[in-house]
Amino acid sequence: MDAIKIKVNKQMDGYSFSISPSIRELIRKLFPNAHPANNIFVGYDTQSNFEIYAGKLESHIYPALLGVENKSDLDQFDEIQFVDTQTGNVLHKVKPRDEKI
């Protein structure tokens, strides 16, 4: 399966992570029990504290945003890309098969 792109919008007080409606529809077709979110906002202060105690934020954002809890379901994705909405640059890549969740 191709890479899933998560849009990252940097704001004054944090980051907003979102997926397109077509990705939400794809997730619902592939995983009928999934509940993908429209977006997730994380404030800068929460991000820094989170990463100190729980590791990289992205590793926790994509399962929540996609609404898929089962590790074997997430492993079907080759790559998850976090893309800056302003520049189009890939900020971070995750390979679910290589992640420990």
Side-chain angles (χ1 to χ4, degrees), residues 24-90:
R24 280 195 301 278
E25 184 178 323
L26 173 68
I27 297 295
R28 286 186 188 118
K29 282 182 184 177
L30 291 173
F31 314 110
N33 293 329
H35 301 287
N38 289 331
N39 71 42
I40 294 175
F41 176 81
V42 178
Y44 293 127
D45 56 340
T46 302
Q47 176 199 11
S48 63
N49 289 337
F50 186 90
E51 290 185 347
I52 289 170
Y53 298 107
K56 289 294 280 178
L57 181 64
E58 292 87 353
S59 296
H60 299 277
I61 289 290
Y62 77 86
L65 189 60
L66 299 178
V68 179
E69 295 179 17
N70 189 329
K71 172 77 169 113
S72 62
D73 289 344
L74 290 168
D75 287 348
Q76 292 184 39
F77 302 116
D78 292 330
E79 185 173 82
I80 311 285
Q81 296 178 351
F82 289 78
V83 179
D84 186 319
T85 58
Q86 300 293 317
T87 65
N89 293 335
V90 175

Side-chain angles (χ1 to χ4, degrees), residues 62 71 74-75 77-78 94-101:
Y62 77 86
K71 172 77 169 113
L74 290 168
D75 287 348
F77 302 116
D78 292 330
V94 176
K95 295 194 180 279
R97 287 185 205 119
D98 299 339
E99 289 265 303
K100 291 183 181 180
I101 298 177

